Amino acid sequence: MDMTRRPRRLRRDGVRGLVSETTLNASDLIAPVFVDATTEERVPIESMPGHERVPVSEAVARVEEVLATGVEAVIVFGVPESKDERGSRAWAEDGVVQAAVRRITAETDAYVITDVCLCEYTEHGHCGVLAEGARAGEGLTVKNDETLDLLARTARSHVAAGADMVAPSSMADGQVGAIREALDEAGHENVPVMAYAVKYESAFYGPFRDAADGAPSFGDRRHYQMDPGNRREAMRMAERDAAEGADVLMVKPALPYLDVVADVRREFDHPVAAYNVSGEYAMLRAAGEKGWLDATESAYESVLSIKRAGADLILTYFAEDIASSLS
């Protein structure tokens, strides 16, 4: 038997790490942070053990906890003190994200990204201005073009508060172009946009909607988020956002869509982000609590697979756990 090829030669201690094709670093990771204007103390998120909503007064302390693990970037989500039909607290100068970002950027060295959407701020929980007949299930749910100005105003207010990058997630057609134009007109041409370019309608978002209090009060989001069965459409979505000026292209969720992450990586030379979403976190954390697997090791392997598929930036609720294990 010809045994010229023996791959196990390169699996021995000492050389295994030298030939590793993919490695994770804390600098690859972005940690989500939830800031809640309705509370004066930290509130555990029951469906996401280990995570909390924090009041604005605790935002800096929460980010400092992230930085202590070696993670350098956070993405901030807000829960406002009140909601209305159009989500006007999303772009308020004294809004929850704006207030938190001012404090975080003034008192820490974190790279601060903000999520730009309206679902946490509208009383109906949808990601834009409701269309006529939406509550009755007639036609499309959200008025796309009327929503664009509100998203642009929100992004502009985040950057005015000090955000280093904005990340529009509403899946409105033209959202990247509208935000890029608004930022440029306000003198923020050097602030990058990370587009949720490929965002599927997914059952894996459940725990996040608890965390951000952003579940729709009726219906679902199938009229503006993508069909989970569509792979070719993902390339059209990424191409559209790239043409409108997106600096980073995101795929969300990550693990069920690694084929799409790989496709985006292959077809575009932009940095690629992937969101290891709340449901992916919750199922591993729950299995770990049951003793069925090691949550930290399985999280590392999962996030490593996302990077191997082609992601340069990974948003994950395991960011602190993984970064701590790397140090």
Side-chain angles (χ1 to χ4, degrees):
M1 182 170 55
D2 182 2
M3 295 290 286
T4 302
R5 295 188 177 183
R6 292 181 180 267
R8 294 203 311 174
R9 294 174 183 139
L10 298 181
R11 295 176 191 154
R12 299 176 63 180
D13 292 343
V15 70
R16 183 183 177 96
L18 292 175
V19 297
S20 179
E21 299 174 25
T22 308
T23 56
L24 271 179
N25 300 295
S27 59
D28 299 326
L29 309 176
I30 299 169
V33 171
F34 297 96
V35 184
D36 187 346
T38 70
T39 184
E40 295 298 325
E41 58 186 21
R42 296 191 180 208
V43 179
I45 301 169
E46 292 187 7
S47 55
M48 295 172 61
H51 285 274
E52 304 167 313
R53 294 182 186 178
V54 302
V56 172
S57 61
E58 288 281 317
V60 170
R62 177 71 191 98
V63 171
E64 287 177 337
E65 292 167 3
V66 172
L67 296 176
T69 68
V71 175
E72 301 169 357
V74 297
I75 182 166
V76 178
F77 297 90
V79 178
E81 68 277 20
S82 62
K83 304 187 180 196
D84 59 33
E85 189 72 11
R86 293 171 69 84
S88 62
R89 295 302 297 169
W91 60 85
E93 185 177 350
D94 61 346
V96 59
V97 167
Q98 292 83 349
V101 167
R102 287 190 191 95
R103 295 188 182 210
I104 295 167
T105 55
E107 299 183 42
T108 79
D109 293 326
Y111 188 83
V112 178
I113 306 164
T114 58
D115 179 80
V116 178
C117 197
L118 301 177
C119 58
E120 298 101 322
Y121 301 88
T122 55
E123 58 189 15
H124 47 75
H126 282 285
C127 302
V129 179
L130 282 188
E132 290 79 4
R135 294 182 186 275
E138 301 171 357
L140 297 176
T141 308
V142 168
K143 292 182 178 180
N144 186 90
D145 294 5
E146 286 188 33
T147 298
L148 295 180
D149 179 62
L150 306 186
L151 295 172
R153 292 173 69 181
T154 301
R156 194 166 53 229
S157 72
H158 289 180
V159 175
D164 297 300
M165 176 187 283
V166 293
S169 62
S170 77
M171 287 296 283
D173 292 339
Q175 63 181 4
V176 172
I179 288 172
R180 182 71 274 159
E181 181 179 1
L183 293 182
D184 290 355
E185 288 178 352
H188 302 305
E189 63 276 1
N190 292 321
V191 174
V193 175
M194 176 167 64
Y196 286 70
V198 182
K199 183 178 179 181
Y200 289 92
E201 185 199 15
S202 175
F204 286 93
Y205 300 151
F208 172 87
R209 291 172 182 170
D210 291 339
D213 193 25
S217 62
F218 67 90
D220 54 37
R221 293 175 176 157
R222 71 184 186 280
H223 289 157
Y224 44 98
Q225 294 178 358
M226 288 176 55
D227 183 337
N230 288 6
R231 183 175 181 178
R232 296 190 303 272
E233 183 188 6
M235 298 304 98
R236 300 197 298 273
M237 301 299 289
E239 182 177 13
R240 176 204 63 182
D241 283 359
E244 291 181 11
D247 300 283
V248 181
L249 301 172
M250 187 197 300
V251 177
K252 180 184 182 183
L255 289 176
Y257 300 94
L258 292 183
D259 57 333
V260 178
V261 175
D263 289 347
V264 175
R265 169 70 292 144
R266 184 177 59 252
E267 296 297 325
F268 297 89
D269 60 4
H270 292 60
V272 175
Y275 203 140
N276 181 217
V277 300
S278 60
E280 299 168 47
Y281 172 87
M283 64 184 183
L284 290 183
R285 185 64 77 191
E289 291 181 353
K290 288 285 189 179
W292 294 339
L293 47 72
D294 184 302
T296 300
E297 289 187 3
S298 57
Y300 177 88
E301 185 176 341
S302 296
V303 174
L304 183 69
S305 75
I306 298 168
K307 186 172 182 183
R308 188 184 65 239
D312 303 292
L313 302 78
I314 302 167
L315 296 80
T316 176
Y317 300 97
F318 283 113
E320 292 165 272
D321 293 331
I322 292 173
S324 295
S325 72
L326 294 173
S327 60

